Amino acid sequence: MTIREVEQEIKKLRKQLEEYNQLYFLFNEPKVSDTEYDLLLKRLAELENTYPQFKIDSTPTESIGSDLTPGAKVIKHKERMYSLENAYSLEEVRSSLFRIARLLEIESAELPIYLELKIDGFSINLFYDKGTLQYATTRGDGFEGEDVTENIKQIKSIPTTIPHQAPIEIRGEIFLPISEFLRINEERAAKGEKSFANPRNAAAGTIKVKNSQIVAERNLDGFFYSIGYAEERPFKSQQEISEFLTKSGFKTNLYNKLANSFEEIEHFCNEWEDKRSTLEYEIDGIVLKVNDLADQDRLGFTDKSPRWAIAYKFKAEEKSTNLLSVEFSVGRTGAVTPVAILEPVYIAGTTVSRSTLHNEDEIDRLDLHHNDRVVIVKSGDIIPKILRTLPEFRSPEAEKVVFPNHCPVCQTPLSKEEDGVIQYCNNINCPAQIQKRIEHFASRKAMDIEGLGEALIAKLLEYNIIEKIEDLYNLDYDKIQELENQGEKSIANLKSAIEKSKERAWDRILYALGIRFVGDKTAKSIAEHYPTYELIKTATIEDLLEIEDVGERIAESVYSFFQNEESIHTLEALKDKGLKLEYESGVKSDLLKGFSFLLTGTLANYTRTEAQQLIEEKGGRVTSSVSKKLNYLIVGENPGSKYDKAKTIDSIKIIDETEFAKLLEEGVEA
Ligand code: AMP
Ligand code: ZN
C-alpha cells in the first residue's frame, strides 16, 4: 500500500464510521451489524497505529459515538462515561488479561475478575443526592449526556429514593424485555408504523421520546453495574459495588459472578454464549472487570475505555429451526427468487418465519433438502439468513430442493442471464409482472400514455379489463368509467392518449416492450439497424452483435425475446391494432425494385438508417442475414461476420460504399 492509499483508506473509514455512529446513536437505525462496525473500527485503529502521522484528535477510534440530539438539554457528567474495549475471541480475552497482569506487575494472569452479562441496551447515568434522584442522563458523548429524567422516572424498577445520602452517580443499562419488544412491534405494525429493528433500538428510541406517557406504557427495565462520581465509597471491589447497588434498591444481574481462574472465565463465556436465548432480555457479550478497585485505579483509562475491563463479544446469534417449504416467487421484474418458509423462531430482535435463499446457487451451497433442519443467523440488525443445514437430522427419503425450470406463475421456461445466477421469466405477459410491464409500456420515454398510471393499471388488471399489453388498444371505456366513477372528459382524455400512442416510432415501441437490458438508447440503435419488425424477428445472436452498443448480454436477451411465442403474439396483435412496427419510409422510385440488400460495417457517408431508408425509397429491400436469396452485401469499415459468410456464396455481389452510391444513382443493371 502506498502512503497515499493508506491516507485515503483512513479517511474513508473515518467517514464511514462517523456516518454509522450517527445512524446508530441519533436515529436508532443502524445500517451495519455491530460486528461489522467493530471490524471497521479495528481496521482503522490498526492503520492509525502503523501510520501515526495520520492520527487526529477527533478520530472515531478515540471518541465514543455520541447519542446527543442537537438542541436537546444536556447535563455534564461528574465523571466521564467510557466505552469498553472489545475482544472477539477467548484468545483475545486471554491476551488482554496478560497485558493487565503485566501492567499490574503481577506474576499470574489469573487475578480475580468479576464477570457480568453485557446487556444489549442503552446506557444511563443516574445522579442521586441526599438519597433522592436528581436527574438522569444518557451517555451522550461521554462528557455530557442528554437529560432524560422524566422518562427514567417512568421505569418502575428504578428507585427515586435510596438510603445512601452522599452525592453519587449510578450507572447501568436500560433495556426492553423481549416480550415487550414483540408486543410493541405488533402494535406498531397494526397501526401501520415502522417496527423497531431490535430491542436495543426500541429502548434507545423510547428513552428519548418527548412524551413520558409513552415510556410508561412500554415497560422498560434496567440493570445497574457501576458507580461514577461518589463522595463516599463504601465498597472495595466490583463485587461489592454490585452488592451495594442491590442493597440500595437497584436491579443487578443475578448471574454476575466472581471468577478466579481463566478456566472459569472461559466456562462462563461459553455457557452464556450458548444460553443467551433463554434470557428474557438480549445480551451481546460478557464484560470482564478486574475485581479489586485499588487495582482498577492503578490501571486507569485510555482515551476511550478503562484498562481494567474487557467486553467479550458474542458471535452473531444462531438458531436452528425447520424448513417447512420453499416458495419460488416471481418478482415484478421477472426474477424468480426462492424463499424458505420456516417454523417461526425468535432471533436477535425478530420472529423469523421466512428467509430469502437468493438464487439457485445458494440452494446448492446449502445442499438444501425438503424438511431440512436449518441453522439461521441474525446479527442484530441484519436480515436473517440460512447459514447451513444440519444433514444429521435429515430423513433418508428427503429429496433435494430443485429450482423449477418454468415460471411458477405462467409456466414459461426460465432463462438465466449470461453473467448471472438469477433466473428470469421473460414472458411479456406473465401475470406476476404485467403491472410493472404495462407501467413501463405507458411511461414517458416509452409509449407516453398520459393518464395511464400505476393505480389505474392496477384497477384494470384487478377487474380483468386488461390481461395483456395489447388489451390496452381494446379497452371497454364504459366499464372503466363505471369503475373509476370519473367524468366523461377524463375517459375521453385516456382514450385519446391511447390513440395517440399508436403513432409512436418503432424505436419507442421496441423500448416499451421491456426487453431485459434494452434501454431507450439501445432500443434506438437496434431499431435503426432493424427498421422493421419483420427484420428483427429473424435476426440471429450473431446478427444482433453487429449492432453498435449491443454486447452478448443484450443480443441474447433480444434474441430470446423474439423467440418467445407470447412476444410474437403480442407484437402481431399490436400491429393489427395499427401500431407501426417499422420506421415509415415512402417508396419513391423502383430503381432497386426486386433486389435485396444487407449492410455490414460502418459506412462513411450514411448511417445505417439512412442507407436503409434510401434503399427502401428506391424499392429495394433490406434483409437481416446472409442467405442465398441475398443480392448485394454492402461492406463498410470493419465488416462483421456477414462479410465472411457472404464470400462463401457466389451469387451474392459484394460491393463497397462507392459502388453502393452508384447503384443509388443509376439503379441495378439488368
Ligand atoms: P460499547 O458500547 O460496545 O463500547 O460497550 C460499552 C457499553 O456496554 C457500556 O457503555 C454499557 O452501555 C454497556 N454495558 C452493558 N452491560 C454492561 C456491563 N455489565 N458493564 C459495563 N457496561 C455494560
Ligand atoms: Zn412468468
Coordinates of all heavy atoms in Angstrom, one line a residue, residues 407 410 425 430 433, ligand 2:
C407 N -41.5 -20.8 -15.1 CA -42.1 -19.8 -14.3 C -43.2 -20.4 -13.5 O -44.2 -21.0 -14.0 CB -42.6 -18.6 -15.1 SG -43.5 -17.4 -14.1
C410 N -46.6 -18.5 -14.8 CA -47.1 -18.6 -16.2 C -46.5 -19.8 -17.0 O -46.8 -19.9 -18.2 CB -46.9 -17.3 -16.9 SG -45.2 -17.0 -17.4
C425 N -38.2 -15.0 -15.7 CA -39.3 -15.3 -16.6 C -39.4 -14.1 -17.5 O -39.6 -13.0 -17.1 CB -40.6 -15.5 -15.8 SG -42.0 -15.4 -16.9
C430 N -46.5 -12.2 -18.5 CA -46.5 -13.0 -17.2 C -47.4 -12.3 -16.2 O -47.1 -11.1 -15.9 CB -45.1 -13.2 -16.7 SG -45.1 -14.0 -15.1
Q433 N -45.8 -10.1 -13.6 CA -45.0 -9.0 -14.0 C -45.8 -7.9 -14.7 O -45.3 -6.8 -15.0 CB -43.9 -9.4 -14.9 CG -43.0 -10.4 -14.4 CD -42.1 -11.0 -15.5 OE1 -41.5 -10.3 -16.2 NE2 -42.1 -12.3 -15.6
Ligands
ZN2 ZN -43.9 -15.9 -15.7

